[in-house]
Each structure stands twice: as C-alpha cells, then as structure tokens.
Amino acid sequence: MMSDAQKHMEKLMQELRRGTITIGVLSQLSEPQYGYSLVTMLGDKGIQVEPGTLYPLLRRLEKQGLLASQWDTNDTRPRKYYLLSETGKEVYDLLVVEWKGIVESLNHVINPKGGNEDGTD
Amino acid sequence: MMSDAQKHMEKLMQELRRGTITIGVLSQLSEPQYGYSLVTMLGDKGIQVEPGTLYPLLRRLEKQGLLASQWDTNDTRPRKYYLLSETGKEVYDLLVVEWKGIVESLNHVINPKGGNEDGTD
DNA sequence: CATTATAGTATATGACGCACACTATTGTAA
DNA sequence: TTACAATAGTGTGCGTCATATACTATAATG
C-alpha cells in the first residue's frame, strides 16, 4: 500500500519525464537504431521507455521530419531503422540548449543560494 | 517566418517544461504566497508561468493534499495564500530527487562520456 | 454616488504526449 | 506444428498546459 505522497509521485514523475524521452531518443539517433534496440539501450542508461510510448514517438518525430526511417529486411527479422535528419540534428541541438536552460532555472529555485534551512534568517 | 526546426521546437519545449512548473511552484511555498505573487517571483527567476496555468495547478495540488490554502481578507484585497502541507513537503523532496535523477540520466546520453566530439575515440 | 481601471482569482476549452493494454507478424526452438 | 521471443503497431484514457474569458473587489476620479 502506497502512501499518499507516493501515490501522487507517480503522476508527477510522469509529467516530469515528459519531453525528456524525446531528447533521450534523439540523442541516440546519430547512428541508426530500431525501436526495440532503443528501448533496451535507453533502459540501460536509466531512461525507461515503454514500447507503446516509443513507437508512436518515433513515428511522430518522423512525420515532423526530424527522423528518417528505413526498413532492413536483409537481416533475420525485418527491422525499421531510424536516423536523425538534418532538421532533426538542428532541433536536437536547440532542444539541448533549452533543456540546459530549464535545468539551470530550476536549480536556482530548488537550491536557494546555498539553503538556509536552519532558519537563521 | 519560422524555420521548420523552430516550429517544432515550440511544442517540444512546452513538453519539456511540463511538470517542471510543479516543482517550481512547490519550491516557493515553504512560505505562503498567493497566485499573483508566484507568477511574478517565478518569472523573475526565469520560469514563465501563465496565470491560467498556475491557478488550476494550485487547486490541483491543494486537492491532492500537497498544499493548504487560506484566504486573507485583512489586507486591501482578498488574497488566497497557499502553503506546503506536510505531505507537500515530502512530495517536493521526493520530486527533487527524481528530478535530479532525470537530469543525471539525460546528461549521460546528451554528453556521452564527456563529449568526444572530435572523434578521437 | 456612479464609472472606470486594475489586481487578483477562477474556469472552460482544446491540443497533445504518455502509459497501458492490446493486436499482428515473424523467426526459432521444442 | 505449437509455443514463445523479438519487433512493430494502434486505440483509448488521463492529465497538464496555454489561451481566452469572466468575475470580484478595491482604488481613483469626477
């Protein structure tokens, strides 16, 4: 049985992850990867992604022109390889800059100039 | 006229911000604040929040038990002051931990082993 | 006292990504 | 062939965020 705090954490954490999955995926696609391998390799690096989340994401990004895809049927099983497009590279770079900005802003409000939690104000 | 890359950036950035607003808000509520003051003070610190975003957020968080509110009618205009509840403090602390985890994971995939972008591997 | 401007609070609406629970297909081992 | 793992895909529901809008009360002005 979960505490109240933890119950809400689930949703909150999910929202927190939003958008970051996109960066994670884009970051891996300087070299071609297919869906299943992305799930695995991102999971290894501490970024859990559900297949049901990743596949739609990949198709979205492709439709937006950030990714290019290509079926490989030579191998044992047919796999759909995705790769960053030129636009995708631009967007990824910009996104990283944005991301760092957000991290910085948030760090400021989270750690208020060193933390005076002893109350000596 | 925006480039393709920038057009998609808008949405992507918005998604990236999602959830971070919650942390930002919670971080300011160790001391009581009302809606308008939060918009102002967060804006000052680089976190833009629309009033139409903040107010529903505050009510959500209160309904979830993370915040307590109290009308102050003594002052010139009636203002609704929000403050972290005990649960809210717990959740906030956990959220910060989660956030730092996400930042760390993402930093790993964004800067692969310190950035070997000269290709000397 | 009536009117207007402004600070502050509230809500409805729409868009969209994410998780979850499926289904479908293919290859491999039993 | 059957059963299971690998791979890709879809549909639904939920929740947050932005935009626009309305509402209330005070202050200012005539």
Side-chain angles (χ1 to χ4, degrees), chain A residues 86-97:
Chain A
E86 283 308 309
T87 305
K89 287 178 190 170
E90 291 178 36
V91 169
Y92 172 64
D93 286 342
L94 290 171
L95 259 190
V96 168
V97 171

Side-chain angles (χ1 to χ4, degrees), chain A residues 11 18 34-36 55 59 79-80:
Chain A
K11 287 182 198 167
R18 260 180 122 112
Y34 58 99
Y36 206 78
Y55 288 114
R59 314 186 106 232
R79 290 165 173 167
K80 195 173 186 179

Side-chain angles (χ1 to χ4, degrees), chain B residues 31-42:
Chain B
E31 298 174 10
Q33 302 288 341
Y34 59 99
Y36 208 78
S37 67
L38 279 173
V39 173
T40 305
M41 83 192 318
L42 284 176

Side-chain angles (χ1 to χ4, degrees), chain A residues 105-112, chain B residues 23-24 27-28 42 45 47 92:
Chain A
S105 306
L106 221 44
N107 273 344
H108 282 160
V109 300
I110 287 178
N111 307 313
Chain B
I23 290 195
S27 75
Q28 303 302 298
L42 284 176
K45 304 187 177 188
I47 302 178
Y92 172 65

Side-chain angles (χ1 to χ4, degrees), chain B residues 14 18-19 21 50 52-53 57 60 64 76-77:
Chain B
Q14 179 176 330
R18 257 180 123 113
I21 299 180
E50 300 298 319
T53 299
L57 173 60
R60 246 180 283 136
Q64 295 173 353
T76 54
R77 289 185 204 79

Side-chain angles (χ1 to χ4, degrees), chain A:
Chain A
M1 162 141 177
M2 311 176 99
S3 75
D4 242 29
Q6 292 214 318
K7 220 179 344 180
H8 292 125
M9 282 301 295
E10 300 299 319
K11 287 182 198 167
L12 259 18
M13 281 166 43
Q14 179 176 330
E15 291 303 315
L16 215 44
R17 268 191 265 278
R18 260 180 122 112
T20 64
I21 299 181
T22 301
I23 290 194
V25 168
L26 293 181
S27 76
Q28 301 303 298
L29 290 179
S30 323
E31 299 174 10
Q33 302 285 343
Y34 58 99
Y36 206 78
S37 67
L38 280 173
V39 173
T40 305
M41 83 191 317
L42 284 176
D44 280 348
K45 304 187 177 189
I47 303 177
Q48 307 298 330
V49 194
E50 300 297 319
T53 299
L54 182 64
Y55 288 114
L57 173 59
L58 289 173
R59 314 186 106 232
R60 246 181 284 135
L61 295 177
E62 185 181 16
K63 184 156 59 174
Q64 295 173 353
L66 310 190
L67 297 183
S69 75
Q70 184 181 355
W71 279 97
D72 183 343
T73 50
N74 291 339
D75 222 337
T76 55
R77 288 187 205 77
R79 290 165 173 167
K80 195 173 186 179
Y81 281 86
Y82 288 91
L83 184 65
L84 274 183
S85 68
E86 283 308 309
T87 305
K89 287 178 190 170
E90 291 178 36
V91 169
Y92 172 64
D93 286 342
L94 290 171
L95 259 190
V96 168
V97 171
E98 254 305 295
W99 170 249
K100 291 184 176 173
I102 293 176
V103 170
E104 197 177 346
S105 306
L106 221 44
N107 273 344
H108 282 160
V109 300
I110 287 178
N111 307 313
K113 55 181 80 172
N116 59 335
E117 49 223 16
D118 50 5
T120 58
D121 214 338

